[in-house]
Each structure stands twice: as structure tokens, then as C-alpha cells.
Amino acid sequence: WLVIDRKVYDVGEFSKRHPGGSRVISHYAGQDATDAFEAFHSDKSLVKKYLKPLLIGELAPDQPSFESNKKKSLLEDFRELRCTIEKMGLLRPNHVFFFLIFLHLLVLDAASWLVVWYFGISFVPFLLGMAFFTTAQIQMGWFQHDLGHCSVFRKPKWNHLLQMIVINVLKGLPASWWNHLHNQHHAKPNCFRKDPDLNMHPLLFSLGRTLSVEVSVGVSGEAKILKMGNVFSFFSLERRRRSSCLTITSTNISSVSSL
């Protein structure tokens, strides 16, 4: 079960049919998932129809409607800020901008192959073609990221269709795999063992025991890190999140191992 807007829902069976994957729901088992629900579902009226048969009760008046490890004041400020941004229309996409982004991706990708085809595979043409291709691939990753968030078109199906063209055809990775992992990332960002972005391949990116962080609440109420697992300093949590090379390598390893 989980809580949305102070209402308790039994999602045990429904999680198996959840379009966003079962793990996104399981990460919130026994917790308040209101903010995640609001963030993930653009058409809330449609989604709430599926919630009605899952309703099993409501929270008691003395029960808090937020996670125990979060401050109520911060949550209220965040929810107010989100509503303000939505009313101002700052989240409405600029279709001309995204069209130009997609067009320049195709141009760069085509240019990378044309340079090698026309000038041959000597050193300079190869470097130029590689620069075009690398830039196109990186930008494709960010473009399909926005499509995966359904941020380009109003209807999700058009976002998913173009995302499959970009990531499946142009990048050679499965869109379903990326969405499955990235949904978990936004459901529980920076939570070890729940955020896949932190779970890089242990054989290549850590030494000794699996990376772990133990957190304890001190007398002052502030979270203090007591110890971290035995991990080589170069592959520390912060450094390896900032390393594009390691992230790309881990992404390709994960995509192959999950197929």
C-alpha cells in the first residue's frame, strides 16, 4: 500500500500492470507518494479513475501526510512553488525549439557519415566525423530524455513514439529500458539501491564491499554521515556521478546486461 493525498491505496496487484514499472511503486511501499504521483502524471483525472477501486482507507487526522524524513515546511513550499510555475506556464514546451533541436541532430548525424564517406578515413576527416557524431549522440541523449518525460508533446504517445525513434533507431538503446531506470531515478533521487543512477557496475566501478552510506541523526537533528563503504577514492559517489565517461560506459554495460 501507499498514500496519495492522505488516501491509502492497495497497489500490490496493480503494480504489476503499472505502465511506469512495478519498482517505481514498490519504492514507495508504506510511504506517502503524493509528490511523486503529481510529478509523474500529467493527466491526473484519467489516472485517478484507476485509483478508485484500489482505495482501502484514509489516514487518521493525527497522521502526517508526508515522509517522516522530510520537513513539512519544505514540502509545502515546494508544492506551492510547483503550482505557481504551472500557472505561469513555464512548463509549456516550445515546439519550434524542439523541432530545431531534432533537425540539428539529424544534420550532425548525417554530416558525420558524409565526411567519412566523401573524404575517406584519413586522420583529419575521421576526427571531424567523430566530433560530429559524438556531439549528435550526446544531444540525442538529452533530447530523448525530454521525450521520456513527456515534455515535448501534450499527448504521451507522441512523446514515446519520437523517443523510440531517437533512442532505439539513432542511438541503439531500448527506450523501455531507459524509462524503467529513469522513472526510478526521479521517484527516489540519490537514494542508494533505489536510484539506478547510483548503482554502477560493481566489478568495474568499486573495490571491496558495495558502496554504502550509513546515516545517523545526531542530537541536533541533522543527518550525519558516519562511514562509507570501502571504495577506491577515484570512484567515490560524487566523482563518479560527475564523470560522463564512466556514466556512458556503465550505461552501455547496463543496457547489455538487462537485455
Side-chain angles (χ1 to χ4, degrees), residues 25-60:
I25 291 183
S26 65
H27 290 338
Y28 277 94
Q31 301 178 13
D32 187 285
T34 302
D35 292 305
F37 175 82
E38 294 289 332
F40 276 94
H41 305 97
S42 55
D43 191 353
K44 298 175 182 59
S45 59
L46 174 63
V47 179
K48 287 182 178 179
K49 294 180 180 179
Y50 292 92
L51 287 177
K52 287 183 179 180
L54 306 178
L55 181 64
I56 58 175
E58 295 188 20
L59 290 179

PDB file of all heavy atoms in Angstrom, residues 25-60:
ATOM      1  N   ILE A  25       6.591   1.997  -7.992  1.00  0.00           N
ATOM      2  CA  ILE A  25       5.590   1.918  -6.929  1.00  0.00           C
ATOM      3  C   ILE A  25       6.177   1.247  -5.689  1.00  0.00           C
ATOM      4  O   ILE A  25       5.950   1.692  -4.560  1.00  0.00           O
ATOM      5  CB  ILE A  25       4.353   1.146  -7.426  1.00  0.00           C
ATOM      6  CG1 ILE A  25       3.620   1.979  -8.485  1.00  0.00           C
ATOM      7  CG2 ILE A  25       3.415   0.832  -6.265  1.00  0.00           C
ATOM      8  CD1 ILE A  25       2.347   1.349  -8.991  1.00  0.00           C
ATOM      9  N   SER A  26       6.936   0.177  -5.882  1.00  0.00           N
ATOM     10  CA  SER A  26       7.476  -0.553  -4.726  1.00  0.00           C
ATOM     11  C   SER A  26       8.433   0.307  -3.906  1.00  0.00           C
ATOM     12  O   SER A  26       8.571   0.104  -2.698  1.00  0.00           O
ATOM     13  CB  SER A  26       8.193  -1.823  -5.195  1.00  0.00           C
ATOM     14  OG  SER A  26       9.334  -1.512  -5.977  1.00  0.00           O
ATOM     15  N   HIS A  27       9.094   1.279  -4.533  1.00  0.00           N
ATOM     16  CA  HIS A  27       9.994   2.169  -3.799  1.00  0.00           C
ATOM     17  C   HIS A  27       9.228   3.032  -2.799  1.00  0.00           C
ATOM     18  O   HIS A  27       9.825   3.569  -1.865  1.00  0.00           O
ATOM     19  CB  HIS A  27      10.767   3.065  -4.759  1.00  0.00           C
ATOM     20  CG  HIS A  27      11.799   2.334  -5.570  1.00  0.00           C
ATOM     21  ND1 HIS A  27      12.324   1.126  -5.179  1.00  0.00           N
ATOM     22  CD2 HIS A  27      12.407   2.641  -6.757  1.00  0.00           C
ATOM     23  CE1 HIS A  27      13.212   0.719  -6.079  1.00  0.00           C
ATOM     24  NE2 HIS A  27      13.275   1.610  -7.041  1.00  0.00           N
ATOM     25  N   TYR A  28       7.926   3.179  -3.009  1.00  0.00           N
ATOM     26  CA  TYR A  28       7.098   3.990  -2.100  1.00  0.00           C
ATOM     27  C   TYR A  28       6.171   3.128  -1.243  1.00  0.00           C
ATOM     28  O   TYR A  28       5.222   3.650  -0.651  1.00  0.00           O
ATOM     29  CB  TYR A  28       6.263   4.996  -2.896  1.00  0.00           C
ATOM     30  CG  TYR A  28       7.030   6.249  -3.240  1.00  0.00           C
ATOM     31  CD1 TYR A  28       7.698   6.373  -4.455  1.00  0.00           C
ATOM     32  CD2 TYR A  28       7.101   7.312  -2.339  1.00  0.00           C
ATOM     33  CE1 TYR A  28       8.408   7.513  -4.770  1.00  0.00           C
ATOM     34  CE2 TYR A  28       7.812   8.458  -2.646  1.00  0.00           C
ATOM     35  CZ  TYR A  28       8.463   8.552  -3.855  1.00  0.00           C
ATOM     36  OH  TYR A  28       9.179   9.695  -4.158  1.00  0.00           O
ATOM     37  N   ALA A  29       6.422   1.848  -1.180  1.00  0.00           N
ATOM     38  CA  ALA A  29       5.583   0.958  -0.379  1.00  0.00           C
ATOM     39  C   ALA A  29       5.571   1.397   1.083  1.00  0.00           C
ATOM     40  O   ALA A  29       6.621   1.595   1.693  1.00  0.00           O
ATOM     41  CB  ALA A  29       6.088  -0.471  -0.491  1.00  0.00           C
ATOM     42  N   GLY A  30       4.384   1.603   1.620  1.00  0.00           N
ATOM     43  CA  GLY A  30       4.241   2.028   3.003  1.00  0.00           C
ATOM     44  C   GLY A  30       4.587   3.481   3.242  1.00  0.00           C
ATOM     45  O   GLY A  30       4.736   3.894   4.402  1.00  0.00           O
ATOM     46  N   GLN A  31       4.690   4.289   2.176  1.00  0.00           N
ATOM     47  CA  GLN A  31       5.072   5.699   2.315  1.00  0.00           C
ATOM     48  C   GLN A  31       4.078   6.606   1.607  1.00  0.00           C
ATOM     49  O   GLN A  31       3.194   6.150   0.890  1.00  0.00           O
ATOM     50  CB  GLN A  31       6.474   5.923   1.737  1.00  0.00           C
ATOM     51  CG  GLN A  31       7.556   5.104   2.376  1.00  0.00           C
ATOM     52  CD  GLN A  31       8.909   5.337   1.713  1.00  0.00           C
ATOM     53  OE1 GLN A  31       9.088   6.270   0.939  1.00  0.00           O
ATOM     54  NE2 GLN A  31       9.871   4.473   2.009  1.00  0.00           N
ATOM     55  N   ASP A  32       4.258   7.908   1.798  1.00  0.00           N
ATOM     56  CA  ASP A  32       3.450   8.900   1.104  1.00  0.00           C
ATOM     57  C   ASP A  32       4.054   9.153  -0.275  1.00  0.00           C
ATOM     58  O   ASP A  32       5.222   9.532  -0.388  1.00  0.00           O
ATOM     59  CB  ASP A  32       3.395  10.194   1.902  1.00  0.00           C
ATOM     60  CG  ASP A  32       2.425  11.199   1.301  1.00  0.00           C
ATOM     61  OD1 ASP A  32       2.769  11.790   0.276  1.00  0.00           O
ATOM     62  OD2 ASP A  32       1.323  11.383   1.859  1.00  0.00           O
ATOM     63  N   ALA A  33       3.272   8.942  -1.319  1.00  0.00           N
ATOM     64  CA  ALA A  33       3.746   9.095  -2.700  1.00  0.00           C
ATOM     65  C   ALA A  33       3.052  10.245  -3.416  1.00  0.00           C
ATOM     66  O   ALA A  33       3.016  10.279  -4.647  1.00  0.00           O
ATOM     67  CB  ALA A  33       3.525   7.792  -3.467  1.00  0.00           C
ATOM     68  N   THR A  34       2.521  11.198  -2.664  1.00  0.00           N
ATOM     69  CA  THR A  34       1.747  12.292  -3.260  1.00  0.00           C
ATOM     70  C   THR A  34       2.561  13.103  -4.252  1.00  0.00           C
ATOM     71  O   THR A  34       2.133  13.354  -5.386  1.00  0.00           O
ATOM     72  CB  THR A  34       1.202  13.220  -2.163  1.00  0.00           C
ATOM     73  OG1 THR A  34       0.399  12.457  -1.261  1.00  0.00           O
ATOM     74  CG2 THR A  34       0.370  14.334  -2.775  1.00  0.00           C
ATOM     75  N   ASP A  35       3.750  13.539  -3.850  1.00  0.00           N
ATOM     76  CA  ASP A  35       4.559  14.392  -4.721  1.00  0.00           C
ATOM     77  C   ASP A  35       5.027  13.640  -5.962  1.00  0.00           C
ATOM     78  O   ASP A  35       5.061  14.216  -7.058  1.00  0.00           O
ATOM     79  CB  ASP A  35       5.754  14.941  -3.944  1.00  0.00           C
ATOM     80  CG  ASP A  35       5.327  15.922  -2.866  1.00  0.00           C
ATOM     81  OD1 ASP A  35       4.628  16.888  -3.191  1.00  0.00           O
ATOM     82  OD2 ASP A  35       5.688  15.696  -1.698  1.00  0.00           O
ATOM     83  N   ALA A  36       5.389  12.369  -5.806  1.00  0.00           N
ATOM     84  CA  ALA A  36       5.794  11.571  -6.962  1.00  0.00           C
ATOM     85  C   ALA A  36       4.623  11.377  -7.912  1.00  0.00           C
ATOM     86  O   ALA A  36       4.780  11.445  -9.141  1.00  0.00           O
ATOM     87  CB  ALA A  36       6.340  10.223  -6.508  1.00  0.00           C
ATOM     88  N   PHE A  37       3.438  11.147  -7.351  1.00  0.00           N
ATOM     89  CA  PHE A  37       2.243  10.979  -8.180  1.00  0.00           C
ATOM     90  C   PHE A  37       1.958  12.243  -8.983  1.00  0.00           C
ATOM     91  O   PHE A  37       1.656  12.185 -10.180  1.00  0.00           O
ATOM     92  CB  PHE A  37       1.038  10.640  -7.288  1.00  0.00           C
ATOM     93  CG  PHE A  37      -0.267  10.555  -8.023  1.00  0.00           C
ATOM     94  CD1 PHE A  37      -0.619   9.398  -8.694  1.00  0.00           C
ATOM     95  CD2 PHE A  37      -1.145  11.632  -8.047  1.00  0.00           C
ATOM     96  CE1 PHE A  37      -1.827   9.313  -9.383  1.00  0.00           C
ATOM     97  CE2 PHE A  37      -2.339  11.561  -8.727  1.00  0.00           C
ATOM     98  CZ  PHE A  37      -2.686  10.398  -9.397  1.00  0.00           C
ATOM     99  N   GLU A  38       2.052  13.397  -8.344  1.00  0.00           N
ATOM    100  CA  GLU A  38       1.808  14.666  -9.025  1.00  0.00           C
ATOM    101  C   GLU A  38       2.835  14.909 -10.121  1.00  0.00           C
ATOM    102  O   GLU A  38       2.515  15.428 -11.189  1.00  0.00           O
ATOM    103  CB  GLU A  38       1.845  15.816  -8.017  1.00  0.00           C
ATOM    104  CG  GLU A  38       0.723  15.796  -6.994  1.00  0.00           C
ATOM    105  CD  GLU A  38      -0.620  16.154  -7.603  1.00  0.00           C
ATOM    106  OE1 GLU A  38      -0.629  16.889  -8.606  1.00  0.00           O
ATOM    107  OE2 GLU A  38      -1.658  15.703  -7.086  1.00  0.00           O
ATOM    108  N   ALA A  39       4.074  14.539  -9.861  1.00  0.00           N
ATOM    109  CA  ALA A  39       5.149  14.810 -10.817  1.00  0.00           C
ATOM    110  C   ALA A  39       5.094  13.883 -12.029  1.00  0.00           C
ATOM    111  O   ALA A  39       5.407  14.307 -13.151  1.00  0.00           O
ATOM    112  CB  ALA A  39       6.502  14.674 -10.120  1.00  0.00           C
ATOM    113  N   PHE A  40       4.680  12.645 -11.838  1.00  0.00           N
ATOM    114  CA  PHE A  40       4.738  11.661 -12.911  1.00  0.00           C
ATOM    115  C   PHE A  40       3.515  11.661 -13.824  1.00  0.00           C
ATOM    116  O   PHE A  40       3.592  11.196 -14.955  1.00  0.00           O
ATOM    117  CB  PHE A  40       4.907  10.252 -12.333  1.00  0.00           C
ATOM    118  CG  PHE A  40       6.333   9.890 -12.039  1.00  0.00           C
ATOM    119  CD1 PHE A  40       6.861  10.078 -10.770  1.00  0.00           C
ATOM    120  CD2 PHE A  40       7.144   9.360 -13.013  1.00  0.00           C
ATOM    121  CE1 PHE A  40       8.173   9.746 -10.493  1.00  0.00           C
ATOM    122  CE2 PHE A  40       8.461   9.019 -12.745  1.00  0.00           C
ATOM    123  CZ  PHE A  40       8.975   9.212 -11.480  1.00  0.00           C
ATOM    124  N   HIS A  41       2.384  12.154 -13.347  1.00  0.00           N
ATOM    125  CA  HIS A  41       1.144  12.025 -14.117  1.00  0.00           C
ATOM    126  C   HIS A  41       0.612  13.396 -14.520  1.00  0.00           C
ATOM    127  O   HIS A  41       0.204  14.187 -13.663  1.00  0.00           O
ATOM    128  CB  HIS A  41       0.087  11.278 -13.294  1.00  0.00           C
ATOM    129  CG  HIS A  41       0.541   9.939 -12.806  1.00  0.00           C
ATOM    130  ND1 HIS A  41       1.054   9.742 -11.539  1.00  0.00           N
ATOM    131  CD2 HIS A  41       0.587   8.733 -13.429  1.00  0.00           C
ATOM    132  CE1 HIS A  41       1.379   8.470 -11.394  1.00  0.00           C
ATOM    133  NE2 HIS A  41       1.114   7.841 -12.526  1.00  0.00           N
ATOM    134  N   SER A  42       0.624  13.659 -15.815  1.00  0.00           N
ATOM    135  CA  SER A  42       0.134  14.944 -16.319  1.00  0.00           C
ATOM    136  C   SER A  42      -1.396  14.973 -16.359  1.00  0.00           C
ATOM    137  O   SER A  42      -2.011  15.982 -16.012  1.00  0.00           O
ATOM    138  CB  SER A  42       0.700  15.206 -17.725  1.00  0.00           C
ATOM    139  OG  SER A  42       0.398  14.127 -18.604  1.00  0.00           O
ATOM    140  N   ASP A  43      -2.012  13.871 -16.784  1.00  0.00           N
ATOM    141  CA  ASP A  43      -3.479  13.790 -16.833  1.00  0.00           C
ATOM    142  C   ASP A  43      -3.970  13.085 -15.572  1.00  0.00           C
ATOM    143  O   ASP A  43      -4.246  11.889 -15.569  1.00  0.00           O
ATOM    144  CB  ASP A  43      -3.921  13.032 -18.087  1.00  0.00           C
ATOM    145  CG  ASP A  43      -5.426  13.135 -18.327  1.00  0.00           C
ATOM    146  OD1 ASP A  43      -6.133  13.675 -17.450  1.00  0.00           O
ATOM    147  OD2 ASP A  43      -5.885  12.683 -19.394  1.00  0.00           O
ATOM    148  N   LYS A  44      -4.074  13.848 -14.500  1.00  0.00           N
ATOM    149  CA  LYS A  44      -4.408  13.245 -13.201  1.00  0.00           C
ATOM    150  C   LYS A  44      -5.849  12.754 -13.135  1.00  0.00           C
ATOM    151  O   LYS A  44      -6.153  11.812 -12.409  1.00  0.00           O
ATOM    152  CB  LYS A  44      -4.122  14.254 -12.096  1.00  0.00           C
ATOM    153  CG  LYS A  44      -2.651  14.658 -12.030  1.00  0.00           C
ATOM    154  CD  LYS A  44      -2.413  15.746 -11.026  1.00  0.00           C
ATOM    155  CE  LYS A  44      -0.953  16.167 -11.028  1.00  0.00           C
ATOM    156  NZ  LYS A  44      -0.495  16.674 -12.352  1.00  0.00           N
ATOM    157  N   SER A  45      -6.765  13.409 -13.850  1.00  0.00           N
ATOM    158  CA  SER A  45      -8.164  12.984 -13.824  1.00  0.00           C
ATOM    159  C   SER A  45      -8.314  11.580 -14.394  1.00  0.00           C
ATOM    160  O   SER A  45      -9.107  10.777 -13.896  1.00  0.00           O
ATOM    161  CB  SER A  45      -9.029  13.969 -14.608  1.00  0.00           C
ATOM    162  OG  SER A  45      -8.584  14.057 -15.962  1.00  0.00           O
ATOM    163  N   LEU A  46      -7.539  11.266 -15.431  1.00  0.00           N
ATOM    164  CA  LEU A  46      -7.592   9.931 -16.020  1.00  0.00           C
ATOM    165  C   LEU A  46      -6.997   8.897 -15.076  1.00  0.00           C
ATOM    166  O   LEU A  46      -7.568   7.818 -14.873  1.00  0.00           O
ATOM    167  CB  LEU A  46      -6.837   9.918 -17.357  1.00  0.00           C
ATOM    168  CG  LEU A  46      -6.679   8.556 -18.035  1.00  0.00           C
ATOM    169  CD1 LEU A  46      -8.050   7.990 -18.405  1.00  0.00           C
ATOM    170  CD2 LEU A  46      -5.788   8.659 -19.258  1.00  0.00           C
ATOM    171  N   VAL A  47      -5.862   9.225 -14.471  1.00  0.00           N
ATOM    172  CA  VAL A  47      -5.180   8.274 -13.594  1.00  0.00           C
ATOM    173  C   VAL A  47      -6.003   7.974 -12.347  1.00  0.00           C
ATOM    174  O   VAL A  47      -6.040   6.839 -11.861  1.00  0.00           O
ATOM    175  CB  VAL A  47      -3.790   8.807 -13.199  1.00  0.00           C
ATOM    176  CG1 VAL A  47      -3.087   7.831 -12.277  1.00  0.00           C
ATOM    177  CG2 VAL A  47      -2.942   9.051 -14.434  1.00  0.00           C
ATOM    178  N   LYS A  48      -6.698   8.991 -11.831  1.00  0.00           N
ATOM    179  CA  LYS A  48      -7.474   8.800 -10.605  1.00  0.00           C
ATOM    180  C   LYS A  48      -8.634   7.841 -10.797  1.00  0.00           C
ATOM    181  O   LYS A  48      -9.142   7.268  -9.825  1.00  0.00           O
ATOM    182  CB  LYS A  48      -7.970  10.147 -10.096  1.00  0.00           C
ATOM    183  CG  LYS A  48      -6.851  10.994  -9.481  1.00  0.00           C
ATOM    184  CD  LYS A  48      -7.360  12.306  -8.924  1.00  0.00           C
ATOM    185  CE  LYS A  48      -6.209  13.096  -8.275  1.00  0.00           C
ATOM    186  NZ  LYS A  48      -6.666  14.387  -7.731  1.00  0.00           N
ATOM    187  N   LYS A  49      -9.062   7.629 -12.049  1.00  0.00           N
ATOM    188  CA  LYS A  49     -10.103   6.638 -12.304  1.00  0.00           C
ATOM    189  C   LYS A  49      -9.603   5.231 -11.977  1.00  0.00           C
ATOM    190  O   LYS A  49     -10.374   4.384 -11.520  1.00  0.00           O
ATOM    191  CB  LYS A  49     -10.549   6.717 -13.761  1.00  0.00           C
ATOM    192  CG  LYS A  49     -11.258   8.010 -14.128  1.00  0.00           C
ATOM    193  CD  LYS A  49     -11.669   8.010 -15.594  1.00  0.00           C
ATOM    194  CE  LYS A  49     -12.378   9.304 -15.962  1.00  0.00           C
ATOM    195  NZ  LYS A  49     -12.773   9.335 -17.395  1.00  0.00           N
ATOM    196  N   TYR A  50      -8.316   5.013 -12.216  1.00  0.00           N
ATOM    197  CA  TYR A  50      -7.736   3.707 -11.906  1.00  0.00           C
ATOM    198  C   TYR A  50      -7.484   3.548 -10.407  1.00  0.00           C
ATOM    199  O   TYR A  50      -7.345   2.429  -9.913  1.00  0.00           O
ATOM    200  CB  TYR A  50      -6.418   3.531 -12.664  1.00  0.00           C
ATOM    201  CG  TYR A  50      -6.583   3.426 -14.165  1.00  0.00           C
ATOM    202  CD1 TYR A  50      -6.514   4.554 -14.973  1.00  0.00           C
ATOM    203  CD2 TYR A  50      -6.814   2.191 -14.772  1.00  0.00           C
ATOM    204  CE1 TYR A  50      -6.662   4.457 -16.356  1.00  0.00           C
ATOM    205  CE2 TYR A  50      -6.966   2.083 -16.140  1.00  0.00           C
ATOM    206  CZ  TYR A  50      -6.892   3.221 -16.923  1.00  0.00           C
ATOM    207  OH  TYR A  50      -7.052   3.122 -18.290  1.00  0.00           O
ATOM    208  N   LEU A  51      -7.427   4.658  -9.692  1.00  0.00           N
ATOM    209  CA  LEU A  51      -7.164   4.597  -8.259  1.00  0.00           C
ATOM    210  C   LEU A  51      -8.412   4.252  -7.448  1.00  0.00           C
ATOM    211  O   LEU A  51      -8.307   3.703  -6.349  1.00  0.00           O
ATOM    212  CB  LEU A  51      -6.600   5.937  -7.778  1.00  0.00           C
ATOM    213  CG  LEU A  51      -5.154   6.266  -8.178  1.00  0.00           C
ATOM    214  CD1 LEU A  51      -4.777   7.658  -7.675  1.00  0.00           C
ATOM    215  CD2 LEU A  51      -4.184   5.231  -7.642  1.00  0.00           C
ATOM    216  N   LYS A  52      -9.571   4.578  -7.967  1.00  0.00           N
ATOM    217  CA  LYS A  52     -10.810   4.386  -7.196  1.00  0.00           C
ATOM    218  C   LYS A  52     -10.988   2.965  -6.678  1.00  0.00           C
ATOM    219  O   LYS A  52     -11.269   2.769  -5.491  1.00  0.00           O
ATOM    220  CB  LYS A  52     -12.012   4.807  -8.046  1.00  0.00           C
ATOM    221  CG  LYS A  52     -12.145   6.316  -8.213  1.00  0.00           C
ATOM    222  CD  LYS A  52     -13.405   6.664  -8.999  1.00  0.00           C
ATOM    223  CE  LYS A  52     -13.553   8.173  -9.136  1.00  0.00           C
ATOM    224  NZ  LYS A  52     -14.776   8.542  -9.905  1.00  0.00           N
ATOM    225  N   PRO A  53     -10.846   1.938  -7.515  1.00  0.00           N
ATOM    226  CA  PRO A  53     -11.026   0.571  -6.981  1.00  0.00           C
ATOM    227  C   PRO A  53      -9.910   0.107  -6.056  1.00  0.00           C
ATOM    228  O   PRO A  53     -10.044  -0.926  -5.398  1.00  0.00           O
ATOM    229  CB  PRO A  53     -11.077  -0.289  -8.253  1.00  0.00           C
ATOM    230  CG  PRO A  53     -10.343   0.491  -9.285  1.00  0.00           C
ATOM    231  CD  PRO A  53     -10.629   1.915  -8.975  1.00  0.00           C
ATOM    232  N   LEU A  54      -8.812   0.866  -5.996  1.00  0.00           N
ATOM    233  CA  LEU A  54      -7.681   0.487  -5.149  1.00  0.00           C
ATOM    234  C   LEU A  54      -7.744   1.112  -3.768  1.00  0.00           C
ATOM    235  O   LEU A  54      -6.945   0.783  -2.889  1.00  0.00           O
ATOM    236  CB  LEU A  54      -6.363   0.889  -5.823  1.00  0.00           C
ATOM    237  CG  LEU A  54      -6.137   0.387  -7.248  1.00  0.00           C
ATOM    238  CD1 LEU A  54      -4.811   0.915  -7.796  1.00  0.00           C
ATOM    239  CD2 LEU A  54      -6.151  -1.144  -7.304  1.00  0.00           C
ATOM    240  N   LEU A  55      -8.713   2.022  -3.552  1.00  0.00           N
ATOM    241  CA  LEU A  55      -8.823   2.741  -2.279  1.00  0.00           C
ATOM    242  C   LEU A  55      -9.254   1.802  -1.151  1.00  0.00           C
ATOM    243  O   LEU A  55     -10.237   1.085  -1.269  1.00  0.00           O
ATOM    244  CB  LEU A  55      -9.837   3.878  -2.417  1.00  0.00           C
ATOM    245  CG  LEU A  55     -10.062   4.755  -1.186  1.00  0.00           C
ATOM    246  CD1 LEU A  55      -8.798   5.518  -0.829  1.00  0.00           C
ATOM    247  CD2 LEU A  55     -11.214   5.725  -1.434  1.00  0.00           C
ATOM    248  N   ILE A  56      -8.484   1.830  -0.054  1.00  0.00           N
ATOM    249  CA  ILE A  56      -8.814   0.964   1.087  1.00  0.00           C
ATOM    250  C   ILE A  56      -9.001   1.758   2.380  1.00  0.00           C
ATOM    251  O   ILE A  56      -9.359   1.183   3.409  1.00  0.00           O
ATOM    252  CB  ILE A  56      -7.729  -0.109   1.304  1.00  0.00           C
ATOM    253  CG1 ILE A  56      -6.355   0.533   1.527  1.00  0.00           C
ATOM    254  CG2 ILE A  56      -7.693  -1.073   0.135  1.00  0.00           C
ATOM    255  CD1 ILE A  56      -5.263  -0.470   1.856  1.00  0.00           C
ATOM    256  N   GLY A  57      -8.758   3.066   2.352  1.00  0.00           N
ATOM    257  CA  GLY A  57      -8.945   3.854   3.564  1.00  0.00           C
ATOM    258  C   GLY A  57      -8.288   5.223   3.463  1.00  0.00           C
ATOM    259  O   GLY A  57      -7.807   5.627   2.398  1.00  0.00           O
ATOM    260  N   GLU A  58      -8.282   5.929   4.584  1.00  0.00           N
ATOM    261  CA  GLU A  58      -7.668   7.247   4.669  1.00  0.00           C
ATOM    262  C   GLU A  58      -6.820   7.334   5.933  1.00  0.00           C
ATOM    263  O   GLU A  58      -7.033   6.580   6.889  1.00  0.00           O
ATOM    264  CB  GLU A  58      -8.722   8.348   4.677  1.00  0.00           C
ATOM    265  CG  GLU A  58      -9.523   8.463   3.393  1.00  0.00           C
ATOM    266  CD  GLU A  58     -10.421   9.696   3.387  1.00  0.00           C
ATOM    267  OE1 GLU A  58     -10.142  10.627   4.176  1.00  0.00           O
ATOM    268  OE2 GLU A  58     -11.380   9.724   2.595  1.00  0.00           O
ATOM    269  N   LEU A  59      -5.883   8.241   5.925  1.00  0.00           N
ATOM    270  CA  LEU A  59      -5.048   8.440   7.104  1.00  0.00           C
ATOM    271  C   LEU A  59      -5.866   9.046   8.236  1.00  0.00           C
ATOM    272  O   LEU A  59      -6.793   9.831   8.011  1.00  0.00           O
ATOM    273  CB  LEU A  59      -3.885   9.380   6.769  1.00  0.00           C
ATOM    274  CG  LEU A  59      -2.783   8.857   5.842  1.00  0.00           C
ATOM    275  CD1 LEU A  59      -1.737   9.935   5.613  1.00  0.00           C
ATOM    276  CD2 LEU A  59      -2.118   7.610   6.421  1.00  0.00           C
ATOM    277  N   ALA A  60      -5.510   8.683   9.430  1.00  0.00           N
ATOM    278  CA  ALA A  60      -6.151   9.287  10.599  1.00  0.00           C
ATOM    279  C   ALA A  60      -5.752  10.762  10.685  1.00  0.00           C
ATOM    280  O   ALA A  60      -4.697  11.153  10.189  1.00  0.00           O
ATOM    281  CB  ALA A  60      -5.723   8.541  11.864  1.00  0.00           C
TER     282      ALA A  60
END
